[in-house]
Amino acid sequence: MADLSNLAGLVSEPSGEIDSSVSSVSNRSLRLAEKEKRKGVADPFGLAVKYLSQVEAGTVVRGNDELERNMVRVETVALSKGLPPEVITMLLDLALSLNAGTANCTRVLKFLLPATVVPQEAIVKGVSWLCVGKMPMNAQVLFVRWVLTVFDLIDCKDDLRSIYGFIFSFVTEENLFPFICHLLYLLTMWEHGELLTKWFNFFGRQPFLTQLLALYKVFRPDLVTLSLPSRARTGFKNHNSTWKVALCAVQRKNKSAVLADQSLSLDVKEKPSSRKRVRCHLSIPPLSSAFDSNSNKKVFRLQELRSFKELLENIHNIELPAQMGSLLGSALALHYLDCVQDESAFLRLNFWLGHSLQEEFLLCPVDGSSDNTSEACRFLSTILFTQQFLQEGFSSTESFLYKFLSVWDGCLLRPQILDLLSDIPLMPSFYMHKLLFEPLKQLYFTSTVFFKCSVIECLNSMLVKWLTWHSVSASEGGLDISLNSNSTITMTLSGFMDSVMELVRFVGLLASEGLRLENCHVLLLNQTLAFYETVCDMFLKYSLPLIIMPPAGVFYPALFATDSISVDRLGYIMFRYRKNLTLAKKQEQQREQTFHISRNTYKEFNRNLQAMVNSMWNSWWCIPGSDIEIDKDLIALSKVAEPWCRFDLIHHPALFSYAIEFHQRCWPERKNVDLGSIKTGKYWNWYMEFLFNQGFDGLNNFIQTNTGHGSTLNSQEDGQPKSQP
């Protein structure tokens, strides 16, 4: 028994150890379970996602509090922080499969906001659910609209393009038609044209399908033989502002690098209670490839370019980026765009620019705060730089300006808007009045003198670009002038002359009325004379057989101006008019040109020439029957001594100080100033030398050409005008 008792004692000790070990394991399990429980409480979003991923077909929806509770948790996080890619994939499958019911399908789609990117496979699987035909039509429309909203955030689009035909099959659905066409527009490549031409005959000239054909006509003009408007309005409207507002809110909270880079494509109008827009950042997105880096396609991504040499070596393998707006932020990308002259790239870039300008400046005007204005200023300056780099404007920018002018106050972003306006290409004269002249006229007459000067300067720059465009076309021997290198619209020389004539006459009207309203302000007068320095040389400098004289409301304020610069510029303008008219008359006599200068133009020039020579040289400014005839009794009331010589080269208000200085140099001992003595003997020639050595080259050329006197001539003093053209 003792042995047994000893054995029992030996056995009892290990039994105690086992019990304690089991107890320890049990306690550890409890701790882990408690930890997991606390973790679950701390991460309700993770538990909600896990629950929703396990929802199967046939799940009771109505009255399911647990489903509703988890749906609310995910919706709250989605609207505040956005959803990660794997959750996007799971929720999209849950919604489109209708496992959680039709009502929850639309609900999920409305809060399906990505925090970073959208997986391509999620979209492909969504298209497969469309093919099943299980969803109601409103859910199908909502899904396609969601895809359009997040299109720029899809990580890769190779597989989407591979199922282009499946997507195209939905164009037969009337409700889906405009949205499917928009999606196809974003996906269309070179190989997709046969489907487009086939269905165009079926649907006719629907604006959505016309946009697709316009795109494909760029790729394969040999297959698209239909006549399409070259400046058709974009048929795709923005129906997704609700999602975009939510995406902007997520972007501001997360400050994610991906969304920050692509913020421009997501900017839309917000409508907070204060009715002041919370403006999104205007920035140029970075270069990113449209294809998967692991794809078998042999492409060289633009973002990998480091030098112009690499661009030349890989120019045939370069693939355009996923978002065309990124081209604006890279000089090498602009070099590529300029070298290859890819019309599809210009078309895509125009579409992107048009959408961005519409969203940011028309639908959501800048509120005028310093931050918003500086962002918009940088964006417009980037567009200006791009247009100057490419030496060509964008049609989308042109369309935007025509719309923006009707709502512009003339102050907001004035330098950038006017610079963009000066880049507008030539247009037919019957469009100019409605699109350009009328809104500018309203702004011009209700703004300050400085805005008036800016408008005249802008229109002068526009005219110079038009004339330069013509001179290049004329040197190439072409009669028809292409309005844009990417446009099929052309204009004959007579049409071009009509447009230039309308522009010059419009500026003449603005300048005449502006000088009257502003009391012949010297800045406005000089800007006007700068414009007519361009106009007077259109025949000689730009080979345009058109000569237009300045109106009386411009000529006489310049002739009687109180500043010497204006008078000198008028002398230069009249000198160049004479040169142009003389050559034009010579060519007419030799029958070397088809177009003829109007005889009224010669008469108008001779009338202005006579007035200027008589007032400044002959001291006889008030000619009976002329434009400046003044009643003698009215002149007598002024009690001005010898009024007929008050605007000659000595007494003219702009030159009077120079005559006084010359008199003091010649007769320093005299106390009484006798300016009449300057006209006697050799002093007159000395005064002419002194005056024209002050830098009045324009006035010198005018006097020398029309009287035979100048700083380099010592001729007779009678000074009769030479023969006039």
Side-chain angles (χ1 to χ4, degrees):
M1 294 294 296
D3 294 335
L4 289 175
S5 64
N6 291 336
L7 183 59
L10 290 173
V11 173
S12 64
E13 293 179 5
S15 177
E17 293 178 2
I18 292 174
D19 291 340
S20 62
S21 176
V22 171
S23 176
S24 176
V25 171
S26 177
N27 292 336
R28 183 172 178 273
S29 299
L30 290 174
R31 288 196 303 272
L32 290 175
E34 186 66 24
K35 185 177 180 181
E36 288 296 324
K37 183 178 179 180
R38 287 197 303 268
K39 183 178 179 181
V41 173
D43 185 22
F45 174 71
L47 290 178
V49 169
K50 183 178 179 181
Y51 174 84
L52 294 177
S53 65
Q54 297 172 352
V55 174
E56 298 179 352
T59 302
V60 177
V61 177
R62 181 173 297 181
N64 192 334
D65 295 338
E66 188 175 6
L67 175 63
E68 176 64 21
R69 182 170 58 253
N70 288 293
M71 194 73 75
V72 169
R73 287 176 180 173
V74 174
E75 183 177 8
T76 303
V77 174
L79 295 177
S80 61
K81 299 180 180 179
L83 300 172
E86 62 276 6
V87 177
I88 291 285
T89 303
M90 184 274 294
L91 288 177
L92 191 60
D93 186 62
L94 171 68
L96 303 184
S97 65
L98 301 182
N99 286 350
T102 304
N104 283 323
C105 171
T106 57
R107 178 181 179 181
V108 170
L109 287 173
K110 289 180 180 179
F111 68 71
L112 206 58
L113 306 177
T116 53
V117 296
V118 177
Q120 178 182 217
E121 58 269 16
I123 308 297
V124 173
K125 193 170 183 180
V127 174
S128 69
W129 280 115
L130 280 183
C131 296
V132 171
K134 184 179 177 181
M135 288 185 290
M137 183 52 64
N138 65 329
Q140 295 182 38
V141 171
L142 200 62
F143 167 66
V144 179
R145 287 174 53 192
W146 177 81
V147 174
L148 290 172
T149 305
V150 301
F151 185 84
D152 290 327
L153 302 180
I154 300 174
D155 55 3
C156 182
K157 302 175 181 68
D158 287 349
D159 293 342
L160 273 177
R161 290 190 172 95
S162 67
I163 59 171
Y164 187 93
F166 289 96
I167 299 174
F168 197 94
S169 65
F170 290 99
V171 296
T172 57
E173 296 288 347
E174 182 179 357
N175 294 325
L176 285 175
F177 183 59
F179 307 106
I180 289 293
C181 285
H182 192 173
L183 180 58
L184 292 172
Y185 183 90
L186 300 174
L187 293 173
T188 295
M189 300 293 286
W190 182 88
E191 62 270 14
H192 299 140
E194 295 183 2
L195 285 171
L196 302 181
T197 53
K198 173 184 176 182
W199 284 100
F200 186 82
N201 296 327
F202 180 80
F203 287 105
R205 290 183 177 271
Q206 295 288 343
F208 316 110
L209 203 56
T210 301
Q211 293 295 318
L212 281 175
L213 276 178
L215 174 63
Y216 189 68
K217 190 171 185 178
V218 174
F219 290 113
R220 292 294 301 272
D222 55 319
L223 292 182
V224 184
T225 58
L226 298 165
S227 176
L228 299 172
S230 59
R231 291 195 177 192
R233 296 180 62 186
T234 302
F236 307 123
K237 298 181 180 179
N238 174 30
H239 301 280
N240 310 320
S241 60
T242 304
W243 274 311
K244 291 189 175 184
V245 169
L247 279 172
C248 289
V250 169
Q251 175 188 355
R252 287 193 299 271
K253 291 180 180 179
N254 287 350
K255 298 192 180 297
S256 168
V258 174
L259 284 179
D261 290 336
Q262 298 182 356
S263 60
L264 188 57
S265 65
L266 305 177
D267 293 340
V268 292
K269 183 177 181 181
E270 293 188 44
K271 297 181 179 179
S273 57
S274 64
R275 300 186 65 84
K276 289 186 177 180
R277 180 183 180 224
V278 180
R279 189 175 182 80
C280 300
H281 295 291
L282 278 167
S283 60
I284 305 301
L287 289 168
S288 59
S289 177
F291 294 95
D292 190 354
S293 59
N294 298 322
S295 174
N296 294 327
K297 294 179 179 288
K298 184 181 179 182
V299 296
F300 193 90
R301 295 183 294 180
L302 274 172
Q303 63 266 33
E304 296 176 354
L305 287 178
R306 294 296 179 267
S307 65
F308 191 74
K309 181 180 179 181
E310 284 188 358
L311 173 63
L312 295 178
E313 292 174 350
N314 299 278
I315 195 166
H316 297 295
N317 297 323
I318 290 178
E319 185 64 41
L320 292 173
Q323 197 168 13
M324 291 302 296
S326 59
L327 292 176
L328 304 181
S330 169
L332 286 174
L334 292 178
H335 275 296
Y336 170 75
L337 194 63
D338 193 35
C339 289
V340 298
Q341 288 294 310
D342 188 345
E343 293 188 16
S344 64
F346 278 99
L347 194 61
R348 288 178 58 195
L349 187 54
N350 264 311
F351 180 83
W352 182 88
L353 269 178
H355 173 75
S356 301
L357 291 169
Q358 174 91 1
E359 291 286 328
E360 291 297 336
F361 296 94
L362 293 176
L363 297 180
C364 315
V366 183
D367 59 14
S369 65
S370 59
D371 292 341
N372 294 340
T373 303
S374 61
E375 291 171 5
C377 177
R378 286 193 297 270
F379 180 65
L380 294 180
S381 298
T382 302
I383 297 178
L384 274 169
F385 169 78
T386 303
Q387 292 187 161
Q388 292 168 1
F389 184 91
L390 299 174
Q391 297 183 1
E392 182 175 353
F394 296 108
S395 59
S396 57
T397 308
E398 180 185 354
S399 301
F400 155 73
L401 287 172
Y402 294 147
K403 297 175 184 177
F404 188 72
L405 281 178
S406 62
V407 297
W408 188 37
D409 62 358
C411 296
L412 183 65
L413 303 169
R414 180 192 301 171
Q416 289 74 28
I417 295 298
L418 291 179
D419 285 345
L420 286 173
L421 200 63
S422 68
D423 283 342
I424 287 180
L426 182 67
M427 73 181 80
S429 57
F430 53 85
Y431 287 132
M432 295 173 66
H433 285 278
K434 181 178 180 180
L435 298 177
L436 186 63
F437 293 168
E438 287 303 323
L440 272 183
K441 188 189 299 184
Q442 294 178 14
L443 288 169
Y444 182 87
F445 289 123
T446 57
S447 299
T448 65
V449 65
F450 302 105
F451 179 80
K452 292 181 173 68
C453 293
S454 299
V455 170
I456 300 296
E457 182 183 15
C458 165
L459 297 177
N460 184 27
S461 178
M462 180 189 297
L463 178 62
V464 169
K465 292 171 184 176
W466 287 9
L467 294 173
T468 304
W469 199 345
H470 162 74
S471 64
V472 172
S473 300
S475 65
E476 294 175 352
L479 182 61
D480 286 348
I481 303 169
S482 175
L483 299 183
N484 191 299
S485 64
N486 294 302
S487 172
T488 58
I489 297 180
T490 59
M491 181 182 290
T492 61
L493 182 56
S494 60
F496 175 79
M497 292 173 61
D498 288 341
S499 297
V500 171
M501 190 180 303
E502 289 297 323
L503 178 61
V504 174
R505 288 176 176 172
F506 175 67
V507 174
L509 170 65
L510 293 184
S512 300
E513 291 300 314
L515 289 170
R516 182 182 64 83
L517 293 173
E518 302 294 343
N519 296 321
C520 297
H521 196 284
V522 65
L523 291 179
L524 182 58
L525 180 59
N526 273 275
Q527 284 293 349
T528 303
L529 293 175
F531 177 81
Y532 280 98
E533 284 178 0
T534 303
V535 174
C536 71
D537 250 345
M538 290 192 299
F539 185 71
L540 268 175
K541 191 173 182 179
Y542 299 102
S543 304
L544 183 67
L546 179 65
I547 299 177
I548 306 174
M549 298 300 298
V554 173
F555 176 77
Y556 289 108
L559 177 60
F560 302 134
T562 56
D563 66 295
S564 56
I565 295 178
S566 298
V567 177
D568 182 61
R569 296 185 85 163
L570 180 63
Y572 172 79
I573 289 171
M574 293 298 293
F575 165 71
R576 295 305 301 174
Y577 268 123
R578 183 187 180 96
K579 287 284 186 182
N580 281 258
L581 286 167
T582 302
L583 179 62
K585 189 173 185 179
K586 180 179 179 181
Q587 290 188 3
E588 285 181 6
Q589 292 172 348
Q590 298 175 355
R591 298 182 179 178
E592 294 181 359
Q593 64 180 32
T594 306
F595 294 88
H596 299 278
I597 305 300
S598 171
R599 294 187 62 84
N600 290 331
T601 302
Y602 289 103
K603 291 180 180 179
E604 192 174 355
F605 170 78
N606 285 328
R607 184 168 60 250
N608 291 343
L609 178 63
Q610 185 181 23
M612 191 166 180
V613 171
N614 281 330
S615 63
M616 301 192 73
W617 187 259
N618 295 333
S619 302
W620 188 23
W621 64 275
C622 186
I623 305 173
S626 67
D627 293 337
I628 55 174
E629 181 181 5
I630 302 178
D631 185 81
K632 294 181 179 180
D633 295 334
L634 186 62
I635 295 177
L637 291 176
S638 66
K639 298 181 181 181
V640 176
E642 299 180 343
W644 54 85
C645 67
R646 291 302 114 183
F647 292 98
D648 60 14
L649 290 174
I650 296 176
H651 299 88
H652 196 290
L655 306 174
F656 187 74
S657 61
Y658 297 99
I660 294 293
E661 182 181 354
F662 178 80
H663 186 278
Q664 291 176 346
R665 289 188 180 186
C666 291
W667 299 282
E669 71 284 354
R670 289 186 182 181
K671 295 183 178 180
N672 297 325
V673 178
D674 180 16
L675 295 180
S677 59
I678 296 178
K679 292 186 177 182
T680 60
K682 60 184 178 181
Y683 292 106
W684 176 247
N685 289 333
W686 288 357
Y687 176 68
M688 296 290 290
E689 289 286 343
F690 168 78
L691 186 63
F692 296 132
N693 283 337
Q694 305 302 314
F696 299 130
D697 296 333
L699 203 55
N700 180 25
N701 290 330
F702 173 80
I703 296 296
Q704 182 177 342
T705 302
N706 295 286
T707 68
H709 286 73
S711 62
T712 58
L713 297 175
N714 294 314
S715 57
Q716 72 278 10
E717 299 178 16
D718 53 356
Q720 294 298 320
K722 285 184 156 185
S723 60
Q724 302 166 2

